[in-house]
Amino acid sequence: MNKNPLKIAVLVSGNGSNLQVLIDKQLNKTLNIDIVGVISNKPCAYALTRAKTANIPTVIIDKDSNGKKHTRVGFETHALQILKQWQPDLVILAGFMKILTPLFIHGVTIDLNIAMINLHPSLLPMYKGLDTHRRILKSGENHHGCSVHLVTTELDSGQVIAQAVTPVMHSENRDALQQRIHKLEHQLLPMVVNLFAERILMFNQQQLTNKIGINLPLKLFFD
């Protein structure tokens, strides 16, 4: 018996290349998903164009009805209202560059009981926060990568589900390293989404369980 598509809502701020990967896999049916909507805190985010081209509903939460920039609470309250309407099975932060407060995180993961995952460009728990590629090159570390983890109220500290690992080439600059990590992200995120879509990973009351007993985090190694 075919499973119902996993309903996904995606929060974005920028280019949306990881969103595009999910859109492509939805269209070619290599992922059993239904992207029910995209929320952006940036009206100029190219991710919105990607979503509109695929006829996916989009919402921009930038300014209030008086034309003033939304407060953090205003943004999160509005976003929660939208998610309640869409009723996704999974919320994905894909290049979403806004720190979320417990109001939103608890609203999603406790009140709505929905898993929320983030794609972070480092091998967590190392290098939380911003500018990870520059920091890695400066550190002299031999390996870098990206992680998909559950979102909790502590920044970049939720349970890590999977990581993609690659050697650091110290002859390359920050931009070159960033591009290599982007390519890994495009493989890692769909793999994790598929675990939810196939109901291998399940989320309930802030707890992640899996029906086949796989050890987390999964690690993918690339040359």
Side-chain angles (χ1 to χ4, degrees):
M1 183 176 178
N2 291 332
K3 300 180 180 69
N4 292 326
L6 185 78
K7 295 192 294 182
I8 294 171
V10 186
L11 273 63
V12 299
S13 297
N15 181 270
S17 64
N18 281 291
L19 171 64
Q20 187 66 57
V21 170
L22 296 178
I23 291 172
D24 292 344
K25 289 185 177 295
Q26 174 179 309
L27 292 176
N28 64 27
K29 301 186 184 303
T30 53
L31 274 180
N32 186 28
I33 61 174
D34 176 16
I35 304 172
V36 296
V38 172
I39 296 173
S40 177
N41 65 316
K42 300 286 187 182
C44 59
Y46 187 67
L48 294 167
T49 299
R50 297 179 188 274
K52 290 173 183 176
T53 299
N55 295 316
I56 295 169
T58 61
V59 174
I60 299 167
I61 307 177
D62 178 42
K63 296 180 180 180
D64 63 21
S65 57
N66 296 318
K68 294 183 179 180
K69 195 79 172 177
H70 263 301
T71 63
R72 192 180 300 274
V73 170
F75 170 88
E76 294 186 348
T77 300
H78 191 176
L80 283 171
Q81 291 171 348
I82 297 299
L83 292 177
K84 287 177 184 177
Q85 295 173 20
W86 288 345
Q87 297 187 324
D89 302 309
L90 179 68
V91 174
I92 300 175
L93 309 183
F96 182 69
M97 303 302 293
K98 191 178 184 71
I99 295 177
L100 296 167
T101 75
L103 169 71
F104 184 82
I105 295 168
H106 287 165
V108 173
T109 62
I110 296 177
D111 298 342
L112 297 180
N113 197 26
I114 299 170
M116 181 160 50
I117 61 175
N118 180 50
L119 180 61
H120 182 75
S122 82
L123 299 174
L124 293 172
M126 302 293 289
Y127 299 98
K128 299 175 183 179
L130 300 174
D131 206 11
T132 60
H133 310 302
R134 181 192 62 79
R135 291 158 61 196
I136 281 285
L137 290 171
K138 187 176 180 180
S139 73
E141 297 274 3
N142 291 322
H143 290 89
H144 189 27
C146 51
S147 306
V148 175
H149 65 96
L150 288 179
V151 176
T152 64
T153 55
E154 187 177 351
L155 181 66
D156 298 332
S157 296
Q159 181 180 0
V160 177
I161 300 170
Q163 295 179 318
V165 185
T166 190
V168 174
M169 301 175 186
H170 290 285
S171 60
E172 66 187 339
N173 60 26
R174 175 191 174 279
D175 290 342
L177 179 58
Q178 182 178 34
Q179 289 305 311
R180 284 208 296 125
I181 299 304
H182 272 322
K183 291 179 181 179
L184 301 189
E185 293 173 357
H186 296 165
Q187 298 180 65
L188 188 69
L189 181 60
M191 185 197 77
V192 172
V193 170
N194 188 59
L195 294 175
F196 283 96
E198 293 300 318
R199 279 59 175 184
I200 294 170
L201 292 182
M202 292 161 287
F203 181 85
N204 187 44
Q205 299 299 314
Q206 295 189 292
Q207 296 296 315
L208 190 66
T209 59
N210 66 83
K211 68 179 182 181
I212 61 174
I214 54 178
N215 292 322
L216 301 179
L218 298 171
K219 288 187 181 287
L220 307 179
F221 292 89
F222 296 86
D223 294 332

